[in-house]
Amino acid sequence: VGSAGWIGRDLMGWQRWTADLATATGERRNIQLPDGTRLQLNTDSAVDLSFDPQQRLITLLRGEILVNCGAVSPTPLLVKTRHGLFEGIDGRFTVRQERDCTRLSVVSGNVAIHSPHTAGGLSTQAHSGQDYLVDQTQAVVAPPPDMDAGAWADGLIITRGMRLEDFLAEVGRYRQGYLGCSTDVGDLRLSGVFRLEDTDTLLAILPKTLPVQVRYRTRWWVSLERST
């Protein structure tokens, strides 16, 4: 592993130890905040919290969260990432921070996106069913996702015509080690409801619907190849 890989690994460990709330790989947490807001952390995620009479701020350090807004308050409910500030007005929404952008998915209700790059400092209003990608230059409407944004909170991945390679990348977030596929099966499409509590059982189901076989080189190195 190169020095950059070790630095990244050390940083992730440091965030878990120093964050107010964090999850390990494969873990999810459900917390009720002082104002009644329900906060759920997805796998390998970390947040800091600043809740007092002056502010209600969730800083997403890494990973993904689902926010279910609590009681109406004169103090805005804010989620901060490297790429922008998201104000939960009502309803439920997920915020997922990637390396180059943050993805907002509004499950229900409305969210205001406050970005330093928005012309005139105006906010963008995101409504129920909308997805936005926010990066260092802009906030744009994202194409409809090929999986349900908040299904992970119920321990599920729900897909609609999702590429197998992308599906495995998503499942890989919930397990240690390498999970991938050969290039000749990466574009196969997958639709269905899959449970996350046992990813090995999940993988064992795939050959029943796709022309693939699951190969375990070790417990931590798993690949899918075209069946023979």
Side-chain angles (χ1 to χ4, degrees):
V1 179
S3 59
W6 283 113
I7 292 171
R9 186 179 303 174
D10 289 344
L11 178 60
M12 288 186 286
W14 175 82
Q15 285 178 332
R16 289 196 195 100
W17 282 108
T18 60
D20 290 335
L21 296 170
T23 54
T25 299
E27 180 187 10
R28 300 184 306 277
R29 293 186 65 181
N30 188 338
I31 303 100
Q32 183 167 313
L33 301 179
D35 67 336
T37 294
R38 179 67 63 178
L39 174 65
Q40 294 178 259
L41 278 70
N42 202 355
T43 177
D44 190 21
S45 300
V47 300
D48 280 339
L49 303 174
S50 299
F51 273 66
D52 56 45
Q54 285 72 46
Q55 63 178 343
R56 296 189 297 161
L57 175 64
I58 303 167
T59 300
L60 179 58
L61 303 173
R62 62 177 289 103
E64 182 176 18
I65 57 174
L66 185 148
V67 179
N68 194 340
C69 297
V72 176
S73 168
T75 305
L77 175 62
L78 302 173
V79 176
K80 180 182 179 181
T81 74
R82 292 191 301 270
H83 309 102
L85 196 63
F86 306 86
E87 180 181 349
I89 300 171
D90 54 29
R92 302 170 73 232
F93 60 96
T94 66
V95 180
R96 177 167 171 168
Q97 184 167 241
E98 306 282 4
R99 181 185 299 273
D100 299 321
C101 69
T102 294
R103 185 179 190 109
L104 167 72
S105 298
V106 185
V107 180
S108 64
N110 302 277
V111 177
I113 304 171
H114 304 292
S115 169
H117 315 292
T118 305
L122 299 176
S123 63
T124 300
Q125 299 294 317
H127 307 293
S128 179
Q130 288 188 317
D131 288 68
Y132 272 81
L133 295 177
V134 181
D135 62 18
Q136 297 296 338
T137 61
Q138 59 186 341
V140 297
V141 176
D146 47 17
M147 68 176 185
D148 285 10
W152 59 263
D154 297 317
L156 303 172
I157 295 180
I158 302 176
T159 65
R160 296 177 296 276
M162 192 175 193
R163 294 178 64 249
L164 177 60
E165 183 177 12
D166 297 335
F167 176 77
L168 295 177
E170 191 65 24
V171 175
R173 299 174 64 206
Y174 298 89
R175 56 185 289 136
Q176 299 285 355
Y178 170 80
L179 175 63
C181 64
S182 57
T183 56
D184 59 339
V185 298
D187 287 332
L188 294 175
R189 299 286 172 166
L190 189 65
S191 298
V193 179
F194 304 90
R195 296 192 174 276
L196 287 168
E197 67 263 16
D198 185 342
T199 56
D200 287 307
T201 298
L202 184 159
L203 294 174
I205 295 173
L206 299 183
K208 298 179 180 179
T209 57
L210 295 175
V212 297
Q213 55 186 338
V214 183
R215 290 191 176 275
Y216 284 80
R217 296 187 183 181
T218 71
R219 181 178 178 181
W220 297 279
W221 188 283
V222 184
S223 63
L224 272 69
E225 303 171 1
R226 187 170 292 277
S227 56
T228 56

